[in-house]
Amino acid sequence: MRPVPESCMAEPRLARLWAAREVVLFAVVTLLLLAGAAAAVAGAEKWASAVWAGTTLLGLAYSTITIAVALRHRQPSVDVIAWLALAGALLVGEPLAGAVIAVMLFTGGVLEARASARARRELSRLAAGAPRTARREGPDGVDEIPVDRVAVGDRLVVGAGELVPVDGRLLDGGVFDESALTGEPLPVERRAGEDVRSGVVNAGSATRMLATQTAAASTYAGVVRLVEQAQASSAPFVRLADRFALAFVPLTLLAAGLAWAISGQAVRAVAVLVVATPCPLLLAAPIAIMSGLSRMARHGVIVKGGAALERLAAGRVLLFDKTGTLTRGRPLLTGVITDRDMLADEVLRLSASLDQSSAHVLAAPIVTAARDRRLALSPAADVREQHGFGIEGTVDRHSVRLGKASWVVDGTAPDWVRRARRRAALDGSLTVFAAVDGRPAAVLLLSDPLRPDAPRMMRTLRDAGIGRTVLVTGDRADIAETVGRIVGVDAVYADRDPADKLAIVRTEQHTTPTIMVGDGVNDAPALAAAGVGVALAARGVTASAEAADVVLTADRVDGLADAILIARRSHRIARRAAAVGMALSLVAMVPAAAGLLTPVAGAILQEVIDVAAIGLALTALLPGRTHTVTLPPPDLAAARQLYAQHIAIRPLVEQIRAVADDLSVTQPDLRPMRALLDRLEGDLLPHERAEEAQLLPIIERALGGPDPTGALSRTHAEIEHQIRRLRRGSQDISDRPEPEDVTDLRAGLYGLYAIMQLHNAQEEENAFSLMPPATVEP
């Protein structure tokens, strides 16, 4: 209980003293108790009684203040038992019992203060050291400016060891320490074209970036606001303690009254009150809850108060938005469909060279894809961006135009363009049309991929007690149903606007406690209406994070599983600690009422009970079951190396489909297919064999259980079988094959492509999702 706010303390020295008041009061009453004991040993009984009586009065004054504060807030309080015990000890001439109760009272205050300070420290770590300045490139060189003067589109230089000042996109690759935001201690390597967030530290050499947000709209400023909200939240753990108090206080008063009435001895009533004094005991509940808040903060989860943690632990229905929650929320280049006369890599190189200068949301994945394929980008000249249509410029003396079909493709679209549109419609992909020297050259396909950590997280939550999962999205029904089937939700609501989402959340909340997870502005009403709202804020703090009760700062949805598991464990420990302590107090009331315990003996016994209960509550700080798997450094290094190869092999997998699409029955040309098979045998098969030898043992060690890698090993064998089958088929066919032979080869290519897509998704879900946050990027 804090009757005087810290802000009222004008003098810094007094403010520091007030902040440490629990420790100061505990030290004072402990010294007074020991001084009284010393006086009693020396034979000065009157002095000892006087000192102990003063200690009791100090505790009585403190409990009076806490009761007054509780009454002002119209809250029940168990401190009334402590007040009666202290007053009774004075009235029946048991000052030593009163002094012991006072020490017990302030011991609880110290423990609460330390647990609360630990939780605040873990939260404040996220907000400490906000960026203050930035170095901006200009015509006259690099100037250091205040961070609030950075504008979108500015080119910035971030030196070694410096904080990234604003959210942006990297122009050069770099290595960053993102632990302040994600809790992940290992440096993260990011490629040119990837997004980088404000507040992370450049752990490598100097790098350049393009600002995509102002300082006020960047991630770090939002995190600071969230931390301020979390720290301003009133301590709600009293709710759990006071639910016990509603029953315990009347029971205690009844037991004390009966003991007095039956025996006629007031000292027995005091003894009952002493053994029932539950103030430090019931601090076991808030200590456990605050320990849970502290553990969550270390996992990159901001929880806005203990009430949110309790509601998170109680949730049984989980509702998800799709975009940015179950999916990445960022487009990924999935295919380049070109005219027969154009090379896909060359069109992609020209497109990415032009898009380097753009801050458009679709520019980054195109640039990233080109760099993943190790294409040499060139500077673009005469760049002009037409809002709502696209961008054009000159790259290596070629006129390049990117954007909408109506702006890029003149007249009737060629067959390959119609094929690209049909594929995009079937896959739910975005399209960017590219023209080179005034001629349609390619269609770039982009999609929002599923988060690989989502399906495993969903299975963990079901094991933890989540009874129903629901996908609520504004996306098309066919796309939503596909995502829902993959992650394993129970119900899918598609084509829903924010008002529809709000109505669905309210309907679910009416029957069962709900948890709503989202990341967009349109999710904010639903997040606010749910039992507890959870927002992903890895790429910036939006209205959803402001409305949510829990915020995940790492760009991984499986952090939700850790948060729920920690919340449930902390809440379970809080209830267990309070229940155990209260049960022991009830048992101790019997000998106290019977006159077998004096008030002094009862106070010492109650102190032992309280320490035991608080010790049990502190076990919430110990590591418990979590969803996240920590890989040993050698396994993590091997997994990262294999993941880099996995990323590099993606264009080759897409080439399987492209070759199958171009394999004509009327004018078959088997040369592209045979060249593809050479690459599959030279690049893909060695990679799959390396995964069989290195990656699968890592998965077995990390996940355990019966045969966790059987399906992956079987698909490795099937991939090799299909490639050998295609090789034999292409060798047995002449250069002028029959139509049915071509049809068989196309079917084999499409089958191999489907197997590769499924296999890669399984590897990302079961293997690469085990790597730490920010290590796995599309």
Side-chain angles (χ1 to χ4, degrees):
M1 306 293 180
R2 294 167 177 80
V4 183
E6 186 174 318
S7 58
C8 295
M9 309 299 291
E11 294 293 333
R13 187 174 300 173
L14 291 178
R16 287 194 297 272
L17 185 63
W18 176 254
R21 60 194 176 280
E22 287 88 357
V23 176
V24 173
L25 290 170
F26 170 73
V28 169
V29 296
T30 302
L31 288 174
L32 289 174
L33 176 65
L34 294 175
V41 170
E45 296 289 343
K46 290 185 178 180
W47 280 104
S49 296
V51 172
W52 287 333
T55 308
T56 305
L57 287 172
L58 191 58
L60 192 64
Y62 182 82
S63 60
T64 300
I65 294 173
T66 61
I67 293 171
V69 171
L71 290 174
R72 190 177 65 189
H73 291 91
R74 298 182 179 180
Q75 294 175 341
S77 175
V78 291
D79 287 343
V80 66
I81 299 177
W83 190 92
L84 290 172
L86 290 164
L90 289 177
L91 291 175
V92 299
E94 293 282 356
L96 175 56
V100 173
I101 295 170
V103 171
M104 181 170 54
L105 193 68
F106 290 115
T107 301
V110 169
L111 289 173
E112 180 189 21
R114 289 183 66 83
S116 180
R118 181 182 182 124
R120 286 197 304 270
R121 184 170 63 251
E122 295 290 350
L123 286 171
S124 299
R125 179 181 61 84
L126 297 171
R132 299 283 183 252
T133 62
R135 292 198 288 161
R136 183 173 62 188
E137 282 187 344
D140 300 325
V142 178
D143 296 324
E144 186 170 302
I145 60 172
V147 70
D148 55 8
R149 286 177 52 191
V150 175
V152 174
D154 282 352
R155 289 175 175 260
L156 307 176
V157 176
V158 184
E162 294 180 355
L163 289 171
V164 173
V166 296
D167 292 356
R169 190 168 70 244
L170 290 173
L171 299 174
D172 306 313
V175 179
F176 297 91
D177 176 2
E178 302 187 350
S179 59
L181 294 180
T182 67
E184 166 56 38
L186 299 176
V188 176
E189 186 173 350
R190 295 202 174 276
R191 303 181 298 275
E194 288 190 40
D195 293 333
V196 64
R197 293 181 287 166
S198 61
V200 305
V201 179
N202 182 6
S205 57
T207 187
R208 298 178 305 132
M209 60 176 284
L210 185 73
T212 57
Q213 294 284 359
T214 62
S218 289
T219 298
Y220 215 86
V223 169
V224 171
R225 290 194 299 272
L226 292 175
V227 171
E228 289 171 350
Q229 289 179 23
Q231 292 182 336
S233 298
S234 58
F237 346 96
V238 204
R239 294 171 60 247
L240 179 61
D242 289 341
R243 283 198 293 270
F244 282 100
L246 290 175
F248 191 72
V249 171
L251 180 62
T252 300
L253 295 178
L254 178 63
L258 287 174
W260 191 353
I262 294 172
S263 67
Q265 299 177 10
V267 70
R268 294 194 182 186
V270 173
V272 170
L273 292 173
V274 167
V275 297
T277 303
C279 299
L281 165 66
L282 290 184
L283 284 174
I287 285 170
I289 297 294
M290 283 185 286
S291 298
L293 294 177
S294 177
R295 278 184 53 77
M296 285 190 185
R298 291 201 299 273
H299 281 76
V301 180
I302 298 175
V303 182
K304 299 177 183 177
L309 186 145
E310 288 192 41
R311 294 196 301 273
L312 186 63
R316 291 297 179 270
V317 174
L318 196 57
L319 300 100
F320 290 93
D321 175 49
K322 181 184 77 70
T323 304
T325 304
L326 295 179
T327 64
R328 291 278 188 187
R330 291 174 294 186
L332 172 70
L333 184 73
T334 56
V336 181
I337 300 177
T338 64
D339 187 1
R340 286 176 178 267
D341 297 333
M342 300 295 295
L343 295 175
D345 280 358
E346 178 61 14
V347 178
L348 178 58
R349 187 188 73 82
L350 295 173
S351 302
S353 296
L354 179 61
D355 259 341
Q356 288 181 109
S357 306
S358 175
H360 194 277
V361 66
L362 296 182
I366 293 173
V367 174
T368 299
R371 295 189 183 277
D372 283 344
R373 300 187 188 191
R374 292 178 170 78
L375 303 179
L377 304 188
S378 303
D382 302 323
V383 178
R384 297 176 300 280
E385 201 159 356
Q386 292 202 23
H387 182 68
F389 291 94
I391 187 173
E392 60 183 348
T394 302
V395 179
D396 293 341
R397 293 178 293 190
H398 292 285
S399 173
V400 182
R401 177 178 282 195
L402 300 174
K404 291 184 175 179
S406 58
W407 192 58
V408 174
V409 180
D410 295 326
T412 304
D415 288 342
W416 65 270
V417 172
R418 288 195 294 271
R419 188 173 74 240
R421 282 174 164 166
R422 184 170 60 252
R423 176 176 167 182
L426 289 173
D427 295 344
S429 300
L430 299 171
T431 55
V432 176
F433 290 80
V436 178
D437 296 328
R439 174 186 168 191
V443 179
L444 309 179
L445 302 180
L446 301 103
S447 65
D448 183 14
L450 185 73
R451 290 181 181 272
D453 50 325
R456 195 171 72 88
M457 175 211 67
M458 201 72 74
R459 293 191 292 271
T460 298
L461 290 177
R462 286 193 184 279
D463 292 341
I466 295 295
R468 175 174 163 82
T469 53
V470 181
L471 174 60
V472 187
T473 178
D475 214 336
R476 288 172 11 203
D478 56 338
I479 297 175
E481 291 284 354
T482 299
V483 171
R485 280 194 299 271
I486 293 173
V487 300
V489 299
D490 297 310
V492 176
Y493 297 94
D495 296 311
R496 306 294 169 139
D497 61 21
D500 295 330
K501 291 183 179 182
L502 180 60
I504 291 168
V505 168
R506 284 176 172 168
T507 300
E508 296 283 352
Q509 178 69 21
H510 184 67
T511 57
T512 312
T514 59
I515 302 170
M516 174 68 194
V517 189
D519 82 323
V521 174
N522 63 338
D523 299 320
L527 291 171
V532 58
V534 180
L536 277 76
R539 290 186 300 279
V541 178
T542 63
S544 63
E546 303 284 354
D549 306 291
V550 178
V551 179
L552 308 180
T553 61
D555 191 19
R556 289 174 67 100
V557 72
D558 62 354
L560 174 63
D562 286 332
I564 291 177
L565 290 172
I566 292 171
R568 291 193 170 182
R569 179 172 180 267
S570 301
H571 193 254
R572 187 168 58 249
I573 289 174
R575 295 179 66 88
R576 184 186 303 149
V580 167
M582 303 232 1
L584 292 174
S585 293
L586 288 172
V587 171
M589 286 184 196
V590 176
L596 301 177
L597 281 178
T598 65
V600 173
I604 295 173
L605 176 62
Q606 183 60 59
E607 184 79 20
V608 173
I609 292 173
D610 292 343
V611 170
I614 291 170
L616 179 60
L618 288 173
T619 61
L621 285 172
L622 300 176
R625 177 195 172 196
T626 57
H627 170 75
T628 302
V629 175
T630 302
L631 296 177
D635 286 355
L636 180 58
R640 281 176 167 165
Q641 183 178 7
L642 290 169
Y643 183 67
Q645 298 172 12
H646 177 86
I647 294 294
I649 219 78
R650 279 178 178 170
L652 179 57
V653 174
E654 289 302 318
Q655 192 179 345
I656 298 172
R657 179 168 178 171
V659 169
D661 288 343
D662 291 338
L663 196 57
S664 171
V665 174
T666 57
Q667 295 180 331
D669 181 3
L670 299 185
R671 287 174 299 178
M673 177 180 170
R674 287 167 178 158
L676 171 65
L677 289 172
D678 289 340
R679 288 201 61 197
L680 292 176
E681 291 171 340
D683 297 336
L684 179 64
L685 288 183
H687 169 67
E688 300 300 330
R689 290 165 186 157
E691 287 183 333
E692 180 77 22
Q694 301 176 45
L695 186 62
L696 268 56
I698 292 174
I699 300 173
E700 291 172 352
R701 288 191 292 270
L703 298 182
D707 196 19
T709 60
L712 290 173
S713 184
R714 178 65 183 85
T715 51
H716 281 152
E718 186 63 25
I719 290 166
E720 188 154 355
H721 167 68
Q722 292 295 329
I723 292 174
R724 287 178 176 176
R725 181 179 179 277
L726 285 167
R727 173 63 78 183
R728 288 196 304 270
S730 66
Q731 290 173 341
D732 294 341
I733 296 175
S734 65
D735 290 336
R736 302 188 66 179
E738 296 296 325
E740 58 268 21
D741 295 329
V742 176
T743 301
D744 185 59
L745 290 175
R746 288 182 67 181
L749 287 170
Y750 284 132
L752 176 61
Y753 177 76
I755 293 171
M756 287 301 309
Q757 290 290 90
L758 175 61
H759 176 65
N760 287 344
Q762 288 176 325
E763 285 187 334
E764 289 172 5
E765 175 185 333
N766 296 319
F768 298 125
S769 68
L770 303 179
M771 294 193 293
T775 299
V776 180
E777 290 293 334

